[in-house]
Amino acid sequence: MRGLFGMVAAVSLLTAGQGLAAADKQDISGLWQTVGAKSHVRIDKCSADTYCGKIVWLKEPLNDAGTPVKDIHNRNGTLRDRDILGIDILSGLEQVGEGRWDDGNIYNPEDGNTYGSELSLNEDGSLAVKGCVLFFCKEQVWTRVE
C-alpha cells in the first residue's frame, strides 16, 4: 500500500510540475538579462491586462565621475537628471496570443526614444523584444535570469 501511495504521489507531483512548466512558458513575468548583459529588466503585470518592465540592475551603474548613470539622452529635458537604474522601460504590453504580447512601448535610454513594442517567447525560453517605428523594427533577444 505504501509503495502504491508513493508512486501515485510521485506521478501527481511530476504531472503538476509539467503543468507549471507549461504555464511558465506563457508568462513573461520575471527577471530578464538584456543583450550584452548590460542590464536586467524585471517584467511584471502592471494591471489586470498589461505588463510593464523596469531596469533593476546595470552592469555599469556608475559613470566616470563615480555617480549613478543618468538618463541624459531623454527627449524630455526635465527627465535627464533621473537615474537609469529604476527606469520603467516597458509599458502597456497586452497578451495577444500564445507566447505573444503587443500594443506596448519600450523606452531606450541609449537614444532617449520610445518605440512601439512587441514581445514573444521563443521555443528555448528566451524573449524576443522588438522596438518599432512605423514598419522599421529592431529585435533583441533577452534571456531569463529567474
Side-chain angles (χ1 to χ4, degrees):
M1 185 72 166
R2 187 186 226 181
L4 179 61
F5 177 74
M7 188 163 55
V8 169
V11 169
S12 296
L13 286 173
L14 180 62
T15 306
Q18 288 173 342
L20 288 174
D24 286 346
K25 290 181 180 177
Q26 296 307 314
D27 188 7
I28 56 172
S29 296
L31 192 60
W32 296 89
Q33 181 172 278
T34 62
V35 172
K38 291 181 181 180
S39 64
H40 290 174
V41 175
R42 168 138 336 259
I43 299 177
D44 289 305
K45 275 199 150 187
C46 49
S47 75
D49 300 324
T50 61
Y51 287 82
C52 50
K54 171 184 294 223
I55 296 175
V56 296
W57 177 85
L58 290 171
K59 182 177 184 178
E60 297 179 13
L62 304 177
N63 61 24
D64 292 339
T67 60
V69 176
K70 302 291 183 186
D71 191 17
I72 60 172
H73 300 292
N74 198 303
R75 298 277 182 200
N76 181 340
T78 62
L79 298 176
R80 291 183 186 149
D81 195 39
R82 69 180 178 166
D83 295 347
I84 294 286
L85 191 60
I87 287 180
D88 292 319
I89 64 165
L90 290 170
S91 62
L93 289 152
E94 298 178 11
Q95 189 160 13
V96 294
E98 189 171 313
R100 293 186 41 240
W101 292 261
D102 202 346
D103 300 325
N105 292 303
I106 186 166
Y107 173 69
N108 180 358
E110 291 180 351
D111 67 11
N113 290 314
T114 299
Y115 302 94
S117 184
E118 60 186 74
L119 310 177
S120 57
L121 284 170
N122 297 322
E123 287 290 319
D124 66 359
S126 62
L127 186 65
V129 179
K130 282 186 185 175
C132 303
V133 174
L134 298 173
F135 301 104
F136 302 102
C137 298
K138 278 188 144 182
E139 183 175 312
Q140 294 185 347
V141 176
W142 294 0
T143 54
R144 192 181 287 274
V145 176
E146 63 174 44

